[in-house]
C-alpha cells in the first residue's frame, strides 16, 4: 500500500495544485490531500470551507486506482504523515525559486521522520506562476483568474468577496 500525503494551505486550491495531484496519481495507491489548519494565518477560507471545496472538485479528477482523501491537520506535517502511515510527502515545484524553501522543508521533515520521503513533482509550465496568494490578490483587485483556479473556487471567491 503506497500512501502519500499532499500537504498545503490550499487557500484556495488552484489548478496548479490539481496538476500536481493528477501527476501523483500513478505513483500512489492513496493520496491524502492534507489541509493545514494554521491559526497564525488569516485565511480567506476556513479549513472546513477549503476541505469542502476540494471534496467537491476531486470527483472531476480521473483517479484510476488511486484513492483520494481530503483531511485537515494541525501541527507538524511529518507527524501527520507518520500518524497516517504514509511513506511519502508530495510537494509541487513550480520554478527554481521554490527549491530552497522546499529543500529546507524536505530536510527538516526527513530529520523529524527519517522513513518518510518527500517526492517533488514539477507542475505544468502553464501554472508555473500560479499561487494561492497571487490568485487572491489579483481577484481582490478585479483581475481575471479564470483557467488558473477551478470554476467552483472562483464562484466561492465571488461569494466570499461579494464581487
Ligand atoms: O501550501 P503551502 O502553504 O506552501 O504549504 C506549506 C506547508 C503546509 C506544507 C508547511 O507550512 C507545513 O508543513 N506546515 C506544517 C508545520 C510544519 O510541519 N513545519 C515544519 C515543516 S519543515
Amino acid at each position: 500500500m503506497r500512501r502519500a500525503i499532499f500537504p498545503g494551505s490550499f487557500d484556495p486550491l488552484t489548478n496548479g495544485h490539481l496538476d500536481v495531484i493528477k501527476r501523483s496519481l500513478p505513483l500512489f495507491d492513496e493520496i491524502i490531500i492534507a489541509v493545514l489548519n494554521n491559526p497564525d494565518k488569516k485565511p480567506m477560507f476556513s479549513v472546513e470551507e477549503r476541505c469542502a471545496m476540494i471534496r467537491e472538485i476531486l470527483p472531476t479528477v480521473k483517479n484510476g486506482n488511486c484513492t483520494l482523501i481530503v483531511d485537515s491537520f494541525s501541527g507538524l506535517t511529518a507527524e501527520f504523515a507518520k500518524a497516517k502511515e504514509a511513506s511519502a510527502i508530495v510537494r509541487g515545484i513550480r520554478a527554481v525559486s521554490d527549491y530552497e524553501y522546499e529543500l529546507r522543508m524536505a530536510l527538516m521533515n526527513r530529520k523529524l521522520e527519517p522513513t518518510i520521503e518527500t517526492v517533488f513533482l514539477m507542475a505544468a509550465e502553464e501554472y508555473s506562476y500560479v499561487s494561492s496568494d497571487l490568485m487572491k490578490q489579483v481577484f481582490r483587485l478585479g483581475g481575471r483568474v479564470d483557467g488558473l483556479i477551478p470554476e467552483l473556487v472562483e464562484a466561492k471567491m465571488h461569494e466570499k468577496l461579494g464581487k
Side-chain angles (χ1 to χ4, degrees):
M1 171 70 164
R2 296 163 305 161
R3 181 183 292 123
I5 67 160
F6 178 34
S9 306
F10 303 106
D11 184 44
L13 183 84
T14 68
N15 285 350
H17 291 129
L18 273 182
D19 180 69
V20 171
I21 293 171
K22 285 178 194 163
R23 287 172 198 282
S24 56
L25 293 172
L27 306 177
F28 300 101
D29 301 307
E30 187 178 292
I31 300 166
I32 303 171
I33 321 297
V35 180
L36 177 68
N37 189 1
N38 185 353
D40 301 337
K41 276 197 180 174
K42 209 177 164 293
M44 176 180 273
F45 295 101
S46 69
V47 171
E48 294 73 25
E49 287 171 326
R50 281 177 264 163
C51 288
M53 271 191 277
I54 300 171
R55 284 197 186 99
E56 216 173 316
I57 291 160
L58 283 183
T60 65
V61 172
K62 284 197 186 64
N63 52 337
N65 293 326
C66 180
T67 305
L68 288 172
I69 294 170
V70 183
D71 204 348
S72 62
F73 74 106
S74 307
L76 291 171
T77 293
E79 264 180 24
F80 180 75
K82 187 169 183 228
K84 294 290 169 183
E85 297 180 347
S87 54
I89 296 171
V90 171
R91 291 288 289 170
I93 293 217
R94 291 163 295 194
V96 180
S97 48
D98 282 338
Y99 180 73
E100 264 188 57
Y101 168 64
E102 292 297 335
L103 177 68
R104 273 192 293 140
M105 273 209 300
L107 293 178
M108 189 67 227
N109 284 331
R110 182 189 280 166
K111 174 85 181 154
L112 293 167
E113 287 301 337
T115 59
I116 300 174
E117 284 298 336
T118 296
V119 176
F120 291 123
L121 295 174
M122 307 309 143
E125 309 88 277
E126 63 201 281
Y127 303 125
S128 59
Y129 59 95
V130 173
S131 70
S132 301
D133 285 345
L134 193 62
M135 295 303 102
K136 285 184 284 191
Q137 186 192 108
V138 172
F139 186 84
R140 279 194 177 108
L141 296 172
R144 289 180 54 190
V145 287
D146 52 301
L148 305 178
I149 53 174
E151 281 175 18
L152 176 87
V153 171
E154 197 174 345
K156 296 281 178 196
M157 280 166 76
H158 276 290
E159 269 175 38
K160 186 68 70 178
L161 299 181
K163 286 195 178 183

